[in-house]
Amino acid sequence: DQQKFDDIVADYRAFAESIGIAAFTAMPISGFRGDNITAPSPNTPWYTGPSFVEHLERVEIDAERDRARPFRLPVQWVNRPDLDFRGFAGLIASGEIRPGDKVRVLPSGKTSSVARIVSFGGDLDVAIAGQSVTLTLADEIDCSRGDVIAAADAPPQTADQFEATFVWMADEAMLPGRSYWLKLGTQSVSATVQAPKYQIAVNTMERLAAKTFDLNAIGVATLSTDRPIVFEPYADNRTLGGFVLIDKLTNATVAAGMLHFSLRRSQNVHWQPVDLDREHHAALKNQKAAVLWFTGLSGAGKSTIANLVEKKLARMNRHTFLLDGDNVRHGLNKDLGFTDADRVENIRRVGEVAKLMTDAGLIVITAFISPFRAEREMVRRMMAPGEFIEVHIDTPLADAEARDVKGLYAKARAGQLANFTGIDSPYEAPDDPEIRIDTTGMTAEEAADAIVERLIP
């Protein structure tokens, strides 16, 4: 019906203007019946515009805009078939390049010039946005997959904290502070998302308060990466401004997003070098730094065994510190509750503290339920290889509940305690812990001996 079509177009035009879309093409189509898909449909004699396929074949792409921007080539592959050739292959995201042009490799900032532009058909005199080429450089500088080769006099930015728009695509809600894989161009880094600044109501464009992003939510939040990445705002460069987030355990794509700008603090805060490193601190204590990460259900015996382990290590003149879940919530984490999001932040903070303590050369013993594998893996990646030792205090739920020394299970069963692990909040047991303690088959003293023997044979 033409009137219905015109009404829809009028409504959309008003909406498009509100979000900055200046021009669009409207077509009455039916994918099911084929109306106006490949040819004009007799069912819409009032429509005189092109068919869908015809429009796609004739629509002009704004390639000139990409070509006019500064040169950017995200490196996809380093091609080194022999000692005489080392080329950097990728798709040119913007700009154009010629042999002799000065370039800068980011994030390192090293500069060189283009020696050759190699393609399947032979060397090129010029390459432009949209072409896949291999560049060779005049100098031997470090460059690998994920780096960006850019115009030397107009490089993109590097940063590790951003404001971004997210489109959440997973059934599971976003957990602020949880670590995800971020893929942007050819770069892959670990990233965390903070609590949303706001969510967008797509029908009204109203900004709504939100604590997380649920399925199909669109909103704005702060994003942090574990190391600086090369980027440009999405409005300027879709290749270096658009990203996806991937769940580290399932490899499912959970979100797509667009970077707006970097946060000023990411440019102003720098790592301060020190003369006495972590190896020096550990050598002073005549030991190797480590983290014994106890995980298990409430009532499993984590704190009891951890306390025994620390006493045994103290008798061996080892320098230790015990971080207990309940004790930490009296100070450092007193502002956190027991929702999934708060549990994630609880473990993130403890992990950062444990990392600082290993830098001081200590053997850190932690006793936390830490119910999610993702956060335990996040802490593992914070530590040096081999320093993180996961200790699963494996106690069946029935046994842990039978002990119930704090009366927490009884409160949870009575509905007086929400988000209690094992009752109405999940516990994800370790798949492959370094140490597994079966508390149904050994005493706390025997468990502590086994752990100490594993740490110091």
Side-chain angles (χ1 to χ4, degrees):
D1 179 81
Q2 182 177 5
Q3 186 59 51
K4 289 183 179 180
F5 176 78
D6 290 342
D7 290 345
I8 292 171
V9 173
D11 286 345
Y12 182 76
R13 179 173 288 109
F15 176 76
E17 291 174 354
S18 72
I19 60 173
I21 296 178
F24 62 90
T25 300
M27 302 177 189
I29 66 172
S30 170
F32 177 63
R33 297 185 180 278
D35 293 300
N36 296 314
I37 297 296
T38 60
S41 170
N43 295 323
T44 55
W46 44 268
Y47 175 68
T48 58
S51 68
F52 183 57
V53 171
E54 183 183 0
H55 173 74
L56 290 182
E57 290 175 340
R58 297 193 307 191
V59 67
E60 292 188 10
I61 300 173
D62 193 8
E64 288 300 318
R65 178 177 178 270
D66 289 337
R67 185 173 178 178
R69 295 191 56 79
F71 176 72
R72 310 280 187 259
L73 183 141
V75 177
Q76 182 176 353
W77 179 47
V78 179
N79 182 8
R80 192 158 196 174
D82 54 55
L83 295 176
D84 299 322
F85 185 89
R86 185 166 179 254
F88 307 101
L91 175 70
I92 300 176
S94 64
E96 58 183 40
I97 195 72
R98 292 176 172 81
D101 286 354
K102 298 291 185 181
V103 292
R104 187 182 303 272
V105 176
L106 295 168
S108 70
K110 298 292 182 63
T111 59
S112 184
S113 60
V114 176
R116 297 170 58 193
I117 304 174
V118 182
S119 73
F120 181 76
D123 284 13
L124 303 176
D125 294 327
V126 62
I128 63 174
Q131 286 183 281
S132 293
V133 297
T134 297
L135 302 182
T136 66
L137 303 181
D139 304 288
E140 286 285 340
I141 61 175
D142 185 36
C143 182
S144 58
R145 175 179 169 84
D147 290 349
V148 176
I149 301 175
D153 57 352
Q157 303 176 59
T158 60
D160 59 5
Q161 297 181 62
F162 312 89
E163 181 186 271
T165 292
F166 294 82
V167 181
W168 198 255
M169 302 161 61
D171 291 328
E172 299 78 17
M174 184 270 286
L175 288 178
R178 170 161 286 184
S179 182
Y180 300 95
W181 292 121
L182 179 144
K183 291 179 69 72
L184 183 147
T186 59
Q187 303 172 87
S188 295
V189 296
S190 185
T192 56
V193 185
Q194 303 306 313
K197 292 184 175 181
Y198 57 85
Q199 189 168 315
I200 300 171
V202 294
N203 291 324
T204 64
M205 301 307 294
E206 182 182 5
R207 296 182 177 185
L208 307 174
K211 293 183 177 180
T212 184
F213 293 136
D214 294 314
L215 178 64
N216 296 329
I218 300 174
V220 172
T222 297
L223 173 75
S224 300
T225 57
D226 65 344
R227 63 179 184 271
I229 60 174
V230 184
F231 86 101
E232 289 189 294
Y234 184 82
D236 297 334
N237 190 317
R238 295 186 178 186
T239 300
L240 294 180
F243 64 87
V244 295
L245 290 182
I246 299 170
D247 186 281
K248 288 186 173 181
L249 294 180
T250 66
N251 286 323
T253 299
V254 296
M258 301 170 287
L259 299 180
H260 298 168
F261 52 80
S262 63
L263 303 185
R264 181 171 296 179
R265 61 177 177 265
S266 71
Q267 306 294 330
N268 296 338
V269 179
H270 306 279
W271 192 267
Q272 179 64 38
V274 294
D275 294 329
L276 300 182
D277 60 15
R278 63 199 320 272
E279 287 73 19
H280 173 83
H281 292 300
L284 284 176
K285 299 172 178 62
N286 192 32
Q287 63 185 31
K288 185 180 184 298
V291 174
L292 289 169
W293 189 275
F294 287 66
T295 177
L297 294 169
S298 177
K302 299 181 299 298
S303 296
T304 300
I305 298 172
N307 189 53
L308 287 171
V309 168
E310 185 173 40
K311 289 197 296 184
K312 290 177 183 294
L313 291 173
R315 287 197 291 268
M316 300 169 68
N317 293 320
R318 304 295 174 171
H319 297 255
T320 64
F321 196 91
L322 174 58
L323 292 168
D324 183 80
D326 283 353
N327 294 349
V328 168
R329 285 186 176 273
H330 283 289
L332 176 67
N333 292 344
K334 69 186 301 182
D335 60 318
L336 299 177
F338 292 90
T339 65
D340 286 354
D342 282 348
R343 289 180 184 274
V344 170
E345 176 61 12
N346 182 51
I347 297 306
R348 187 197 69 80
R349 293 184 191 179
V350 172
E352 294 289 355
V353 172
K355 173 65 168 61
L356 291 173
M357 289 183 169
T358 58
D359 286 344
L362 294 174
I363 297 172
V364 186
I365 306 164
T366 75
F368 292 82
I369 294 174
S370 49
F372 303 124
R373 296 188 190 99
E375 279 58 63
R376 299 195 297 267
E377 283 303 307
M378 172 185 68
V379 178
R380 182 187 293 274
R381 284 188 293 271
M382 292 180 185
M383 309 303 167
E387 280 189 0
F388 184 89
I389 301 170
E390 188 173 36
V391 184
H392 182 201
I393 308 302
D394 190 0
T395 302
L397 176 61
D399 289 3
E401 189 169 358
R403 298 171 187 172
D404 204 11
V405 293
K406 301 175 184 177
L408 300 179
Y409 283 99
K411 290 182 179 179
R413 293 290 187 190
Q416 300 171 2
L417 187 61
N419 304 310
F420 191 75
T421 303
I423 304 301
D424 58 351
S425 185
Y427 176 74
E428 299 172 356
D431 290 325
D432 189 23
E434 280 76 11
I435 303 173
R436 177 180 173 271
I437 300 297
D438 181 359
T439 59
T440 64
M442 63 173 64
T443 66
E445 191 76 27
E446 291 169 339
D449 286 335
I451 294 167
V452 172
E453 175 65 21
R454 168 62 173 77
L455 179 67
I456 306 174

